[in-house]
Amino acid sequence: MLRRLAILLVLVCPWALAAPQRYTIDTDNTAIRLSWHAFGGILSWARFIGVTGDVTLNPDNDLDDRIHVTVPVATLVASNSLLTWQLKSDMFFEAERYPTIDFTSSRVVAQGSGRYRVFGTLTVRALSRPVILEAVVKDAHAHLLTLDATTAISRAAYGMDKFALVVDDRIAIAIAIQASAVPSL
């Protein structure tokens, strides 16, 4: 009898089911940092701000989890002004022709203890490649979500192979996202 009542409650009261929680990325508190080695080991870096997007997490079904991020290339700032100019130019990101970088997840897999493996597609210069991010989520059920993720990509895979003799191909990416919960309707 109790089982039938529970099934009836679920069927009649869809709000009794846990719903995915949507978050909107807080542009002012989100940044992406790139780093690589050049000239035999010198660490270089660049960062992006102005990141927008949203995160959806469902604690009951990770198939509902989604992350979408848009990065404006014009916000790129590197460790010096010459490098900033080079990275935005047609030597690398081609900021005027390709003003944004996009990431869209295809699957977010919970690893336990707030750790996730995020599978998705990174699009840079109209070239889309699969990537896997290792992420840590803090306070996933709170009003404010903090997500830190890391990955590494090949810059040549995105057609950015200039200076291959002096700049490493591997680019490390560190992502720090803060997002605010979107109120349920």
Side-chain angles (χ1 to χ4, degrees):
M1 176 67 176
L2 188 56
R3 183 175 177 199
R4 287 183 188 157
L5 181 60
I7 292 171
L8 181 62
L9 181 64
V10 169
L11 292 174
V12 175
C13 303
W15 62 84
L17 298 172
Q21 177 62 57
R22 277 197 62 229
Y23 298 87
T24 299
I25 290 176
D26 179 353
T27 300
D28 294 332
N29 292 306
T30 296
I32 297 174
R33 182 179 169 96
L34 311 176
S35 60
W36 61 94
H37 290 95
F39 303 106
I42 298 171
L43 182 64
S44 296
W45 61 267
R47 67 181 171 89
F48 294 98
I49 58 173
V51 177
T52 59
D54 56 77
V55 177
T56 301
L57 297 176
N58 184 344
D60 296 329
N61 185 358
D62 65 7
L63 293 175
D64 291 340
D65 294 346
R66 296 284 181 259
I67 300 171
H68 179 258
V69 176
T70 300
V71 181
V73 177
T75 67
L76 182 141
V77 175
S79 52
N80 64 64
S81 58
L82 175 61
L83 183 55
T84 298
W85 174 81
Q86 288 174 326
L87 290 172
K88 289 181 181 181
S89 77
D90 62 356
M91 287 188 261
F92 293 98
F93 286 103
E94 293 187 74
E96 287 186 24
R97 185 171 176 195
Y98 305 107
T100 61
I101 297 168
D102 288 296
F103 172 79
T104 302
S105 69
S106 56
R107 180 94 193 268
V108 180
V109 178
Q111 303 288 302
S113 301
R115 296 191 176 284
Y116 294 82
R117 184 160 290 145
V118 181
F119 299 85
T121 302
L122 179 65
T123 303
V124 180
R125 295 172 34 134
L127 297 170
S128 297
R129 304 285 185 258
V131 295
I132 301 171
L133 289 85
E134 298 297 329
V136 176
V137 173
K138 300 171 189 157
D139 299 326
H141 305 292
H143 177 72
L144 185 66
L145 170 79
T146 302
L147 182 148
D148 295 318
T150 59
T151 193
I153 62 168
S154 159
R155 64 187 182 93
Y158 293 94
M160 295 187 283
D161 54 0
K162 301 280 191 230
F163 308 113
L165 295 176
V166 293
V167 178
D168 284 349
D169 182 55
R170 183 183 182 276
I171 305 298
I173 303 173
I175 304 160
I177 292 176
Q178 266 194 5
S180 299
V182 175
S184 302
L185 297 178

